[in-house]
Amino acid sequence: MKTVLSGIRSTGHLHLGNYFGALRNFIELQHKARCFFFIADLHSLTTHPKPEDNRSNIKIILSEYLASGLDPDISVLFIQSSVPEVSELFVLLNMLAYKGELERTASFKDKIRKNPGNINAGLLTYPVLMASDILIHRAHWVPVGKDQEQHLEIARVLARRFNNMYGVSVFPEPQAYNFGEDLVKIPGLDGTGKMGKSEGNGIYLIDDEKTIRKKVMRAVTDSGPVKPNSPMGPEIANLFTLLSVVSEPDVVTHFKEQYNSCTIRYGDLKKQLAADICKHTLPIKAKIEEIYNNEPYLKQVMEQGAEKARTSARQTLELVREAMGVKLF
Ligand code: TYM
């Protein structure tokens, strides 16, 4: 049976990128494989959140996972920091990760460009911690969005290097997984880049109908196609990407035809897009609050998840210690 693992940082509410990039793919798999899903609270520390924000974010994200359909009786649902074995594997794998290859990681370069005042070692070794998350459960498939492709490559390099260096086959090489075929990149509503937590361009699972409509109606567009079959500018292409994720195929075809024949009214497209986003998110939103307020349940889910995750993690760590000779008796 395949093992699946994925996680999301605890840096704020989940947005459509997190949901369609990682979470929904994971939920599709939870009945078919051995599944782990976690809150990457240690990774979040690289940006120095206030302790109280970090704590409340964990509770928010956990409620949002559960409301989205993660079943804690089928999947192992846990907080990264409650499985100390991950941190131990992180230390051990750091011995196999080279400074040069970590410095070349696109996410590291991006972080140091955006935050020159906080280039901490945790940012540099971020992919090694991520590899530890994946390899500690010897995962085969990792549902993630396109932005995590390079991190997955590093996890594969470390798995391969470990197996070769110690002449073992402890780790499978984990593959990024998407339920369709290609990994998805959900664009933001500002006409540029991807939807992100800090970019202010996102729609969150917690947003109400009015907010979603307002955000979508404000999305950047252009002045419209001037001749039939003209190429789409990036803002319009982004709206179509979102539409293709949340709407039925015939809806997408309908608006594409209108675009190609220059009869499209962006206002109509946006109204449809907002309505279709709501179809996915509002049922989740309705459950978030109820779960969030049920602290005993959340606590029980976390304890149960940590225990199961630690059992799995300990087994891997035994093999790793054995292979590296970090075990006297
Ligand atoms: P994070 O918290 O930035 O994002 C969590 C997941 O959401 C996906 N995602 C997107 N997918 C498509 N379009 C978008 N606009 C978009 N924005 C976010 C991400 O690809 C990711 O799958 N390093 C990870 C967290 C992590 C992890 C792991 C993931 C730590 N350890 C082990 C998988 C396995 C991160 O920062 O994701």
Side-chain angles (χ1 to χ4, degrees):
M1 184 184 259
K2 296 288 183 197
T3 297
V4 180
L5 173 134
S6 197
I8 296 181
R9 270 173 306 144
S10 53
T11 41
H13 290 286
L14 299 186
H15 54 66
L16 292 185
N18 300 138
Y19 181 70
F20 288 108
L23 190 50
R24 196 185 56 160
N25 289 310
F26 183 90
I27 290 168
E28 303 272 1
L29 282 169
Q30 68 181 346
H31 297 278
K32 302 180 194 137
R34 175 177 174 255
C35 286
F36 295 84
F37 207 96
F38 73 100
I39 298 175
D41 61 336
L42 297 177
H43 277 109
S44 300
L45 299 178
T46 52
T47 52
H48 302 169
K50 289 197 201 106
E52 60 274 22
D53 290 345
N54 205 32
R55 274 192 288 270
S56 72
N57 279 338
I58 290 172
K59 195 176 156 202
I60 289 169
I61 295 209
L62 177 59
S63 312
E64 294 179 350
Y65 281 176
L66 291 163
S68 299
L70 264 183
D71 183 338
D73 292 325
I74 299 175
S75 298
V76 179
L77 192 52
F78 63 101
I79 303 173
Q80 188 182 33
S81 62
S82 67
V83 182
E85 288 77 7
V86 171
S87 300
E88 184 174 339
L89 183 60
F90 170 61
V91 171
L92 299 174
L93 287 183
N94 266 321
M95 313 308 166
L96 277 73
Y98 297 110
K99 177 174 159 277
E101 65 192 350
L102 297 177
E103 279 171 345
R104 282 193 296 277
T105 315
S107 60
F108 178 66
K109 289 193 199 154
D110 189 48
K111 280 272 173 3
I112 62 176
R113 193 172 45 79
K114 288 186 183 149
N115 309 294
N118 178 24
I119 310 176
N120 61 67
L123 282 177
L124 182 67
T125 54
Y126 187 108
V128 186
L129 180 55
M130 182 159 161
S132 310
D133 294 325
I134 298 168
L135 299 180
I136 196 88
H137 299 295
R138 284 172 277 165
H140 302 95
W141 288 339
V142 187
V144 282
K146 199 158 177 50
D147 58 322
Q148 299 297 319
E149 229 167 11
Q150 197 181 20
H151 289 158
L152 256 291
E153 178 56 27
I154 295 176
R156 277 193 292 276
V157 166
L158 291 176
R160 211 177 302 139
R161 197 173 287 160
F162 183 93
N163 288 343
N164 288 339
M165 194 179 267
Y166 297 106
V168 290
S169 50
V170 170
F171 298 125
E173 292 185 21
Q175 306 298 323
Y177 180 91
N178 184 272
F179 199 61
E181 56 285 341
D182 294 335
L183 299 186
V184 297
K185 176 180 147 192
I186 305 292
L189 292 171
D190 50 1
T192 59
K194 63 165 185 162
M195 187 173 287
K197 279 178 187 148
S198 42
E199 282 79 355
N201 63 3
I203 291 183
Y204 298 91
L205 299 183
I206 195 75
D207 283 344
D208 59 25
E209 190 171 354
K210 200 167 144 211
T211 307
I212 291 175
R213 218 176 315 123
K214 217 158 89 190
K215 285 184 177 176
V216 174
M217 293 319 275
R218 272 204 317 248
V220 184
T221 51
D222 56 23
S223 49
V226 280
K227 50 181 195 299
N229 301 314
S230 40
M232 273 179 205
E235 302 88 355
I236 307 306
N238 281 354
L239 289 181
F240 272 98
T241 302
L242 277 171
L243 202 68
S244 67
V245 171
V246 297
S247 306
E248 297 296 330
D250 58 330
V251 172
V252 184
T253 309
H254 167 77
F255 283 107
K256 278 224 169 111
E257 279 168 8
Q258 288 200 336
Y259 182 88
N260 286 331
S261 60
C262 304
T263 55
I264 192 160
R265 292 197 330 208
Y266 290 144
D268 293 344
L269 181 146
K270 286 177 169 181
K271 264 190 217 143
Q272 179 77 44
L273 177 59
D276 289 342
I277 290 173
C278 286
K279 269 191 214 153
H280 288 274
T281 62
L282 294 187
I284 297 175
K285 176 182 166 48
K287 291 186 203 143
I288 292 174
E289 207 166 310
E290 189 191 322
I291 295 174
Y292 182 83
N293 289 319
N294 190 347
E295 265 203 28
Y297 172 63
L298 292 176
K299 190 161 175 281
Q300 181 236 317
V301 165
M302 281 302 90
E303 283 171 0
Q304 162 187 324
E307 205 178 300
K308 287 194 210 159
R310 290 196 71 182
T311 304
S312 155
R314 263 188 229 116
Q315 289 165 0
T316 306
L317 207 49
E318 273 294 296
L319 299 174
V320 172
R321 284 169 147 259
E322 181 80 46
M324 294 180 94
V326 190
K327 193 178 175 188
L328 200 50
F329 301 107

